[in-house]
Amino acid sequence: METAQQTPAPGSLSWRLSSHPITLLTYLFFRISSLLTYLFGLRLFTSNFVLIFIITILLLATDFYYLKNIAGRRLVGLRWWNEVDTASGDSRWVFESADPESREQNATDKRFFWIALYAQPVLWVLLAVVALLSFEPIWLTLVAIALVLTLTNALAYSRCDKFSHATGFASNAMYGSGLARNLASGMVSNWFSRGGR
Amino acid sequence: MAAMMPSASMANDYDNDALERDLIDPDDATLDDLDDPIQGTSDRAPLTGNIGSRSGASTQSYLTSAVGGEDRRAPTNTIDETVWETLSRDLLAIWEKLKQVLWPKYLLGGIMQRGGGIGAAERGEADGVGGGLGGLAGRWPDADVILQGGMSEGLRDWDLWGPLIFCLLLSLFLSRGAKDDQKDFVFSGIFAMVWLGEAVVTMQIKLLGGNIAFFQSVSIIGYTLFPLVIASALSATGIVPMLVRIPVYLVLIAWSLAAGISIMGGSGVVRNRVGIAVYPLFVFYIALGCICFIS
């Protein structure tokens, strides 16, 4: 009885169930700490604006980097980056996804990851509204940067997830020659793009 | 079905071919035209290849247009690397970019063939100060030559760590010199000005047809702020007297400008528009240098 209560159901939001507890905790720490620094700096100790600003920006940047390069691929097996073609100067998105067969996805990690990923921009939008209403234009710079950083990550990861589903489905559905696989992924992609529009 | 397609269109092509061959007057036929079996087999290979590549192309165009991206699994797998590998690779990339600023090698390789970063800066300063407008006009052909070069691989994967850190340092140092009640505004003002300036200069280069990505250019300009950070640090500590500041700061501004021009090497700005493309960068550095000077 006691032990049954101690161990939560699989997929629930408890860090003990995570397969990468350190990564998960660091990820959540960076996500939350930038918000907390901003809130406490804004409401309680506004005496040193510059210090709070710098700390918040650095935490935001670290959070962005950690989510993009480490937390994403360790927790959900996804990664995105932006590549520049030196010849034409065009930039394009590149998405990487772990092979679902070779890698077991942890449901807890997944839920934590996606909730934190999408909750952060929403919270910053709320803070932006608060900053607008209370006429603190000096803080708006910070909130705008925070919004840009968190929204970029949220959009890129949601796209990346879509891509990984599309290719994963295609390769599962048709184990054939490379040609058949190519056609299949093209077809699935078409459905997806039609659904997306 | 995919396997059926080539053969079906093959048959079609073959029928057309046969029909046409029937219409040809036998007297006109050469030995090559009559060589039926060989032509048949040589037709087949390009046909199947065509279909394969066409399907690949359609996937590719979907991936780059509809959602705007590309999915990668096998070729460059970075999903399973260790944290240390990620960190060291990115730190090395940052160091690589910083090196390009410390040592504007396109300038050195293309024109000077001597000296270090400071040497290049002194040369740039001599140009800027010596001739006034005439000197400026005389400098653009030099930049012209440099801009023909290609962009180095190290600058291809941009990041915004350099711009962020340098921008923060610059704002911090400059706000140190302000009065207590103005510190916050100076800090956020400089911070916003640097980012807006970078964006405006980049937009201008883009509008002139430079083939450089937006954030790539922002990243490069951000890294070239390094000499100006030194200038602002000198101002904040106040160890340099006012009179000595002028030449020192001019050297630092020219160093920034030299690094900026040299790294923008591959931006592909059209030859007779180089002056227009680099001028806002010049104004940007001068403005920041002046703020450093008066603070």
Side-chain angles (χ1 to χ4, degrees):
Chain A
M1 192 70 187
E2 199 68 26
T3 47
Q5 271 184 344
Q6 283 287 318
T7 53
S12 62
L13 294 177
S14 162
W15 65 272
R16 285 196 189 82
L17 288 178
S18 165
S19 51
H20 304 282
I22 297 174
T23 313
L24 182 65
L25 289 181
T26 320
Y27 166 61
L28 291 177
F29 168 75
F30 280 132
R31 286 257 101 171
I32 296 166
S33 59
S34 58
L35 265 176
L36 288 184
T37 313
Y38 173 77
L39 274 177
F40 281 119
L42 182 65
R43 299 292 164 216
L44 298 180
F45 330 98
T46 35
S47 55
N48 202 339
F49 165 80
V50 175
L51 186 69
I52 297 291
F53 191 95
I54 291 178
I55 292 176
T56 313
I57 286 273
L58 287 180
L59 280 174
L60 276 170
T62 321
D63 170 54
F64 182 84
Y65 179 84
Y66 191 80
L67 171 55
K68 175 182 172 296
N69 292 313
I70 295 169
R73 64 185 170 82
R74 284 179 74 101
L75 294 181
V76 291
L78 295 172
R79 188 174 194 193
W80 64 273
W81 69 89
N82 194 296
E83 216 174 56
V84 175
D85 186 2
T86 29
S88 63
D90 297 327
S91 67
R92 58 177 181 181
W93 300 90
V94 178
F95 301 117
E96 214 175 23
S97 54
D99 200 1
E101 281 111 38
S102 69
R103 198 183 165 100
E104 195 68 25
Q105 299 285 343
N106 187 312
T108 303
D109 283 345
K110 233 177 181 167
R111 274 186 74 190
F112 261 124
F113 179 82
W114 292 110
I115 288 176
L117 181 70
Y118 290 125
Q120 191 88 341
V122 174
L123 288 175
W124 280 110
V125 167
L126 288 181
L127 287 177
V129 172
V130 170
L132 263 179
L133 291 181
S134 55
F135 296 106
E136 284 160 332
I138 201 166
W139 288 103
L140 266 183
T141 334
L142 187 54
V143 179
I145 294 166
L147 264 180
V148 167
L149 288 178
T150 50
L151 271 180
T152 312
N153 247 335
L155 287 180
Y157 266 110
S158 69
R159 264 186 198 179
C160 192
D161 192 40
K162 215 187 267 178
F163 265 105
S164 82
H165 281 312
T167 43
F169 177 54
S171 58
N172 282 342
M174 288 205 187
Y175 266 115
S177 63
L179 180 68
R181 191 171 163 165
N182 256 351
L183 281 177
S185 69
M187 263 145 53
V188 171
S189 314
N190 278 339
W191 295 337
F192 263 84
S193 65
R194 243 171 254 147
R197 279 172 202 163
Chain B
M1 185 198 141
M4 286 296 288
M5 260 156 57
S7 60
S9 52
M10 231 333 271
N12 239 350
D13 248 14
Y14 183 80
D15 283 347
N16 282 347
D17 235 355
L19 215 68
E20 222 175 294
R21 199 161 288 123
D22 277 350
L23 294 174
I24 291 173
D25 194 352
D27 292 343
D28 287 340
T30 60
L31 205 64
D32 286 346
D33 284 337
L34 293 173
D35 209 356
D36 210 10
I38 290 177
Q39 199 160 18
T41 50
S42 70
D43 260 354
R44 182 169 298 162
L47 213 58
T48 44
N50 214 0
I51 284 176
S53 69
R54 197 182 301 139
S55 71
S58 76
T59 318
Q60 208 56 29
S61 74
Y62 152 70
L63 287 172
T64 47
S65 67
V67 180
E70 181 185 342
D71 188 27
R72 268 197 201 162
R73 261 176 205 216
T76 51
N77 196 347
T78 60
I79 285 275
D80 288 322
E81 68 187 2
T82 59
V83 174
W84 173 243
E85 275 173 318
T86 311
L87 284 178
S88 63
R89 191 186 49 222
D90 290 335
L91 284 176
L92 269 181
I94 291 175
W95 170 239
E96 177 66 29
K97 270 169 284 215
L98 202 55
K99 241 173 20 188
Q100 306 242 357
V101 172
L102 296 176
W103 182 282
K105 67 175 178 185
Y106 291 102
L107 268 186
L108 298 173
I111 299 171
M112 252 73 72
Q113 315 264 3
R114 67 163 183 91
I118 300 288
E122 277 164 356
R123 172 58 188 266
E125 179 220 2
D127 275 348
V129 174
L133 274 180
L136 286 184
R139 179 151 49 161
W140 300 132
D142 288 1
D144 230 14
V145 176
I146 298 151
L147 286 168
Q148 301 304 311
M151 191 181 303
S152 72
E153 284 295 310
L155 295 166
R156 215 184 58 165
D157 30 331
W158 50 272
D159 66 82
L160 294 179
W161 280 112
L164 176 70
I165 300 293
F166 290 153
C167 184
L168 280 178
L169 284 177
L170 201 62
S171 316
L172 180 66
F173 286 139
L174 289 180
S175 70
R176 286 283 294 278
K179 282 188 218 131
D180 270 346
D181 54 337
Q182 292 176 350
K183 270 199 168 93
D184 300 353
F185 287 99
V186 169
F187 180 83
S188 56
I190 305 261
F191 190 84
M193 188 191 129
V194 169
W195 285 105
L196 284 181
E198 285 169 2
V200 166
V201 172
T202 300
M203 280 317 291
Q204 216 252 357
I205 290 174
K206 288 282 280 183
L207 288 176
L208 283 172
N211 51 4
I212 189 169
F214 184 83
F215 281 111
Q216 194 184 10
S217 167
V218 168
S219 166
I220 290 170
I221 299 171
Y223 274 99
T224 57
L225 289 182
F226 177 69
L228 293 176
V229 171
I230 298 178
S232 66
L234 289 179
S235 288
T237 50
I239 50 170
V240 183
M242 213 54 166
L243 208 65
V244 188
R245 274 189 190 185
I246 301 173
V248 171
Y249 282 19
L250 278 174
V251 167
L252 289 171
I253 291 170
W255 182 5
S256 275
L257 190 64
I261 295 176
S262 118
I263 297 177
M264 284 296 181
S267 71
V269 178
V270 197
R271 199 178 173 81
N272 49 9
R273 294 189 204 148
V274 168
I276 307 175
V278 178
Y279 181 69
L281 201 60
F282 180 66
V283 171
F284 179 61
Y285 291 142
I286 289 285
L288 282 177
C290 287
I291 296 174
C292 290
F293 180 72
I294 58 174
S295 84

